[in-house]
Amino acid sequence: MTGADPPEISDYGLLSDCHSAALVSSHGSVDWWSLPRFDSPAIFGRLLDPSAGHWSITVAGDHTATRDYVGDSLVLRTVLRTAAGAVAVTDALALRPGSRGHEIGFDAPHTLLRTVEGLDGTVDVAVEVAPRLEYGLTEPRWRRDGPSWVARAGPVGLRLTDDSGLTATGGTLTGRYPVGAGQRIRFRLTFEPPYEPAAWTGLEPSVHDTLEAWHSWAALHRGYRGRYLPAVHRSALVLQGLTYQRSGAVVAAATTSLPEQLGADLNWDYRFAWLRDVSLTMQALWVAACPDEAGRFFDWIADAIGPLGGAPLQIMFGVTGERDLTEHQLDHLAGYRDSRPVRVGNDAWRQRQLDVLGEVLFAAELLRERIGELSDATRELLVSLADQAADSWRLPDSGMWESREHPRHYTSSKVMCWVALDRAVRLAGTLGVPGRAGAWAAARDEIHATVLRRAWCERIGAYAGAFDSDRLDASVLLLPLVGFLPAGDPRMLATIEAVRDRLADGPLVRRWYGDTAAFVACGFWLVECLALAGRVDEAGALFADLLGRGNDLGLFAEEIDPATGRQLGNHPQAFSHVGLINAAWRLTEASAAGGAPRPV
């Protein structure tokens, strides 16, 4: 594929070992794998540059490709069919042998397993293993070590074991051979840092055991019995696949710098955990996973934030709580379809975003039953966040869309400060500070009145995205979802209709007028708003339409271009799948209640 465009973003399937993620195309090429963590440098990076590394398993001549995950897992099986026959390629990032249930992913062997199986006829198969380390900066050299091939360069060591007879040319292993019906060829590529003790030792990982591990996890997470069950279960698996299991942090996406607009510079690194997403993610985990996952996520948040000491709350962290996520550019990479620059790190960590105060307290209130188990330090943290909301809600900020322009008084930020105080009032007794409830309630009510007065715009007949503005913004769809206003409130209904008329193409909703593409999560928010307004049939039709915009595996990137249907942005996007789960749950609840709105 050198010199050619990579496949569409939607062409890629996700593999995960709950430490790192790989993306594999429908035609058998692993074009992304950053290891040993989600935010580590990639050894396969062809997604971002033709020369940045890949591992392809291809068949000669014209062929078709069909694929699916094996049961409730992130083990991917792709059938490649030619005129001469068919082979199946099974791909998995291995889970530790014997790990089951909630333990999966705690101790990853950092191994990519690939198996080629002949189904019928005889098919010529070509294999090319071409790692290019540190985002393509380094080409390793392979050497034989007994039955394995070993490559080392800088901080990276790789060991590939196969039963196919590959040959080495510089930094690339190749092989070509006919595969007949019933024949299997197995490959195992393991990360072995050359200057560190082995990170994992034990039984050799296998596809079978990895499947058993995923299925055991899924068996514990079947509490959801509502509408759109297969899509909800798949999205729950995606969220687990985007969870760094040792800490419980959920990264926003598996990739960096997949563009919001082809050929443009809206390319960001999303391999970190955002507090902006936390309350809706927590709700989705509660619905589609179980309280253990939601509780671990909240415990990670509390540990990552630590004592504030009056400092503003940081909006995002690395998967083990890292704070400094300073952004830099990889100028040697061409970018996905020439979309430059490629960025590593994300300078949004420096921004003030007041909405995160409400996100954390909303999450805590969702976990009310666990509050008694939280430490004194965590209780102090929640009190501090509520006080910060009361003290700082009048300040401008960068907003939930992380504007890199001048700060403004964003409506969603003020509303989430209201959420922080509203939930703090509910939790005051549990947090051991019942005397604070009065002051928090007074600040909450002042925010509510101010939003109703300054966010409403008569000219557009809707709540605007910022105070004293006439710019419509889809973030105002959150108002009913967090309980700020009923969806049936006349002005809220007018706002919902304004979003549908001016920002939406069917179920695809742009964040603002002139946005480059529709933001998938906003479409699911619109579904929720309509369901809460009692318009369940409309909401269901939009949901079904939006569900059909995912790829063949049910995966969603960050955005969809309404004109072409092309998925854009980092992939798969946790927030998109969070939106799917919560919208399915809201439709289920609204249907059960005969269309009556359900309060938050």
Side-chain angles (χ1 to χ4, degrees):
M1 192 172 67
T2 301
D5 283 339
E8 294 287 340
I9 290 169
S10 60
D11 190 65
Y12 286 97
L14 170 71
L15 308 177
S16 172
D17 58 8
C18 304
H19 280 237
S20 64
L23 296 186
V24 56
S25 75
S26 65
H27 294 274
S29 185
V30 178
D31 291 343
W32 182 257
W33 189 20
S34 53
L35 80 164
R37 295 187 355 171
F38 294 107
D39 56 353
S40 297
I43 67 163
F44 298 133
R46 183 158 66 172
L47 189 64
L48 297 178
D49 191 286
S51 63
H54 65 278
W55 181 359
S56 61
I57 297 178
T58 58
V59 297
D62 293 337
H63 65 277
T64 60
T66 57
R67 60 183 176 171
D68 204 350
Y69 288 110
V70 182
D72 287 329
S73 79
L74 291 182
V75 175
L76 184 61
R77 187 174 187 268
T78 303
V79 175
L80 304 173
R81 184 169 293 278
T82 74
V87 295
V89 180
T90 302
D91 293 317
L93 281 180
L95 298 173
R96 177 176 58 81
S99 66
R100 297 291 185 266
H102 294 302
E103 295 181 357
I104 69 166
F106 275 92
D107 188 12
H110 304 306
T111 298
L112 177 54
L113 303 171
R114 310 198 74 187
T115 301
V116 182
E117 177 187 3
L119 300 180
D120 57 71
T122 299
V123 179
D124 289 331
V125 173
V127 177
E128 188 169 82
V129 188
R132 300 296 182 260
L133 315 180
E134 295 186 274
Y135 301 109
L137 281 175
T138 304
E139 179 177 335
R141 290 293 181 268
W142 292 99
R143 65 174 177 82
R144 269 291 182 185
D145 182 19
S148 302
W149 287 98
V150 173
R152 291 194 176 100
V156 178
L158 300 171
R159 179 178 297 273
L160 188 138
T161 303
D162 73 293
D163 48 19
S164 66
L166 295 172
T167 59
T169 304
T172 302
L173 295 172
T174 59
R176 181 179 291 273
Y177 18 74
V179 178
Q183 183 180 358
R184 282 186 175 86
I185 304 172
R186 298 176 178 85
F187 303 90
R188 184 173 66 246
L189 180 63
T190 300
F191 176 65
E192 294 183 348
Y195 304 113
E196 299 178 17
W200 182 86
T201 58
L203 299 174
E204 294 292 351
S206 70
V207 171
H208 173 77
D209 208 71
T210 299
L211 272 172
E212 290 297 307
W214 278 114
H215 290 162
S216 72
W217 182 89
L220 295 175
H221 300 84
R222 296 189 180 277
Y224 180 78
R225 291 289 184 268
R227 299 174 67 180
Y228 313 104
L229 192 62
V232 169
H233 281 171
R234 174 57 53 202
S235 291
L237 282 161
V238 171
L239 292 184
Q240 177 64 14
L242 295 176
T243 298
Y244 187 73
Q245 190 68 352
R246 286 183 176 173
S247 66
V250 181
V251 298
T255 57
T256 180
S257 299
L258 292 184
E260 297 180 22
Q261 180 180 5
L262 291 181
D265 63 353
L266 299 175
N267 318 314
W268 314 109
D269 193 347
Y270 277 9
R271 298 171 298 164
F272 310 110
W274 267 256
L275 297 188
R276 176 199 64 191
D277 306 348
V278 66
S279 63
L280 298 179
T281 300
M282 192 80 68
Q283 183 170 297
L285 290 172
W286 191 276
V287 168
C290 76
D292 286 346
E293 264 72 28
R296 288 190 67 238
F297 189 23
F298 186 79
D299 290 343
W300 169 82
I301 291 165
D303 288 342
I305 294 172
L308 282 176
L313 177 60
Q314 184 163 319
I315 70 161
M316 58 191 288
F317 299 88
V319 294
T320 56
E322 296 86 352
R323 291 173 176 268
D324 187 343
L325 307 177
T326 299
E327 183 178 298
H328 66 280
Q329 298 180 9
L330 302 180
D331 293 331
H332 65 285
L333 295 179
Y336 177 85
R337 301 195 179 188
D338 296 320
S339 302
R340 295 181 176 90
V342 173
R343 294 182 172 95
V344 171
N346 195 314
D347 275 346
W349 74 275
R350 306 176 190 273
Q351 292 184 350
R352 176 168 61 218
Q353 293 180 24
L354 297 175
D355 61 296
V356 296
L357 301 167
E359 297 284 357
V360 177
L361 276 151
F362 191 172
E365 206 276 331
L366 286 173
L367 289 171
R368 176 189 290 270
E369 294 178 4
R370 286 177 51 92
I371 292 295
E373 302 173 18
L374 297 180
S375 66
D376 290 343
T378 300
R379 296 175 190 233
E380 291 173 8
L381 169 65
L382 296 174
V383 171
S384 176
L385 295 180
D387 288 341
Q388 195 171 121
D391 293 339
S392 62
W393 71 269
R394 297 177 183 84
L395 298 174
D397 72 337
S398 297
M400 70 176 300
W401 305 133
E402 298 175 359
S403 170
R404 297 200 176 194
E405 300 174 353
H406 62 276
R408 301 185 68 189
H409 292 281
Y410 289 99
T411 301
S412 59
S413 297
K414 310 304 183 185
V415 168
M416 292 310 294
C417 285
W418 176 91
V419 169
L421 292 162
D422 181 70
R423 276 31 173 206
V425 169
R426 300 185 195 182
L427 292 170
T430 306
L431 295 176
V433 288
R436 300 280 187 97
W440 288 340
R444 175 198 62 190
D445 295 345
E446 184 181 0
I447 296 172
H448 198 274
T450 304
V451 169
L452 295 183
R453 184 177 72 255
R454 295 188 59 187
W456 177 258
C457 176
E458 289 289 350
R459 195 181 78 77
I460 63 173
Y463 289 108
F467 282 3
D468 308 319
S469 169
D470 61 0
R471 189 180 188 188
L472 192 62
D473 191 296
S475 62
V476 297
L477 294 174
L478 290 172
L479 272 62
L481 307 191
V482 299
F484 183 85
L485 279 177
D489 174 89
R491 284 188 168 186
M492 194 64 236
L493 279 174
T495 300
I496 293 168
E497 288 307 312
V499 169
R500 294 187 74 178
D501 290 344
R502 301 170 205 173
L503 298 182
D505 291 273
L508 301 178
V509 180
R510 290 178 169 87
R511 289 169 290 184
W512 55 80
Y513 186 77
D515 196 6
T516 56
F519 196 77
V520 173
C522 292
F524 288 120
W525 296 349
L526 176 59
V527 169
E528 287 196 70
C529 285
L530 291 172
L532 283 170
R535 294 155 63 174
V536 180
D537 290 342
E538 283 181 71
L542 282 179
F543 184 91
D545 191 347
L546 187 51
L547 203 61
R549 310 298 180 101
N551 75 0
D552 56 318
L553 297 172
L555 303 182
F556 286 90
E558 180 184 19
E559 298 187 340
I560 297 174
D561 184 343
T564 64
R566 168 180 282 155
Q567 294 204 33
L568 295 167
N570 286 302
H571 175 75
Q573 179 87 356
F575 214 28
S576 299
H577 288 274
V578 164
L580 186 159
I581 292 169
N582 288 337
W585 169 78
R586 194 81 71 174
L587 280 167
T588 298
E589 294 292 318
S591 298
R598 176 183 171 87
V600 175

